[in-house]
């Protein structure tokens, strides 16, 4: 796991081995964990295939009295608190049925 600064308001966590496995559960699990246990100043969490971007409000962190920069505070917090292998819980889903009616003069041609 590597944590990289994306901007003054965001950090990206990258799992290099995710690119090889193509398994999206680790970023999704980390996103779920951060929704339940937000880091200081957290605004949003955006998972991708092999990464997760954490957006934060630097102004909230600047008022904390911590001598670290906001991005250093969030990076340090993530390194200390984010589990290496958080558990992924698939969301409950319900089937959605969409009624379709096929008709029209060109139906034999396009079917």
């Amino acid at each position: 796991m590597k944590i990289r600064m994306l901007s003054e308001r965001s950090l990206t966590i990258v799992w290099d081995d995710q690119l090889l496995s193509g398994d999206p559960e680790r970023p999704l699990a980390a996103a779920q964990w951060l929704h339940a246990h937000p880091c200081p100043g957290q605004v949003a969490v955006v998972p991708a295939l092999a990464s997760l971007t954490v957006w934060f409000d630097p102004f909230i962190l600047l008022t904390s009295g911590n001598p670290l920069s906001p991005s250093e505070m969030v990076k340090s917090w993530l390194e200390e608190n984010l589990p290496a292998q958080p558990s992924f819980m698939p969301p409950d889903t319900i089937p959605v049925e969409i009624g379709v009616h096929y008709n029209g003069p060109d139906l034999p041609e396009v079917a």
Side-chain angles (χ1 to χ4, degrees):
M1 176 176 93
K2 296 176 188 168
I3 301 176
R4 300 179 180 143
M5 186 172 169
L6 184 63
S7 73
E8 293 177 345
R9 296 174 171 263
S10 61
L11 295 172
T12 297
I13 304 165
V14 179
W15 291 275
D16 291 332
D17 57 332
Q18 286 295 111
L19 291 174
L20 298 174
S21 69
D23 181 10
E25 285 191 5
R26 191 180 300 166
L28 291 173
Q32 283 181 338
W33 190 89
L34 283 168
H35 281 295
H37 310 92
C39 69
Q42 181 174 308
V43 174
V45 178
V46 183
L49 178 64
S51 65
L52 174 77
T53 298
V54 179
W55 293 86
F56 55 89
D57 185 340
F59 297 107
I60 291 173
L61 299 171
L62 287 171
T63 60
S64 70
N66 191 317
L68 297 174
S69 72
S71 59
E72 290 171 330
M73 279 190 266
V74 174
K75 182 179 180 187
S76 175
W77 189 93
L78 290 169
E79 289 170 340
E80 293 173 13
N81 295 287
L82 185 64
Q85 295 288 334
S87 299
F88 176 66
M89 298 296 294
D92 291 334
T93 60
I94 56 171
V96 175
E97 231 177 273
I98 300 173
V100 178
H101 179 73
Y102 297 99
N103 66 359
D106 62 344
L107 184 60
E109 294 174 26
V110 296

